[in-house]
Structures are given as structure tokens and as C-alpha cells.
Amino acid sequence: MSLLTAQLLRGLTGLTRRLPVQRAQIHSKPPREELGTMDVAVGLTSCFLCFLLPSGWVLSHLESYKKRE
């Protein structure tokens, strides 16, 4: 490695040591209302129907998608 390359690399690593690390200021509070059993059931069911059902359909019919007709 040439002297110039070593100096450039040393200069770049020195820059990263001086940069401040920004941290997110996240504060959470207790919920205003507790979620009921029905709210949780509706949320989980909608997630299942929207995400898992279509992907399951595609995976179960993968062989028919591979065939060229």
C-alpha cells in the first residue's frame, strides 16, 4: 500500500470518529384506552387476510405458475 493511500485512509477514519451520533428521542406514554379482545381479534384477522392469505395462495400454486402454457 502506498504512503498516499495510507494517509487517505487514516484521514477518512479520523473523520468518522469526530462525527456525532444522532440518537432518536422517543418517549412513550401509557395508552389512553386499553385495547379490548375484539379489537385485537379484528386486527390480527385483518393482518392474516391481507398478508398471509395471498402469499399462502401463491406458494400453494407455485408449480402451476412455473408451467408455461
Side-chain angles (χ1 to χ4, degrees):
M1 186 182 324
S2 70
L3 182 63
L4 179 62
T5 306
Q7 287 177 344
L8 285 173
L9 287 175
R10 198 173 317 127
L12 288 175
T13 56
L15 282 176
T16 58
R17 289 185 201 144
R18 289 180 290 216
L19 291 176
V21 177
Q22 295 181 356
R23 300 199 184 264
Q25 300 294 327
I26 300 174
H27 300 284
S28 114
K29 297 178 183 177
R32 292 183 190 143
E33 299 177 8
E34 288 292 323
L35 290 178
T37 307
M38 193 62 172
D39 296 328
V40 173
V42 167
L44 289 175
T45 303
S46 63
C47 286
F48 173 76
L49 291 175
C50 291
F51 297 109
L52 297 178
L53 200 63
S55 58
W57 173 269
V58 169
L59 287 175
S60 66
H61 293 88
L62 200 58
E63 291 300 321
S64 63
Y65 290 138
K66 287 181 182 179
K67 296 177 186 174
R68 293 196 176 197
E69 295 177 329

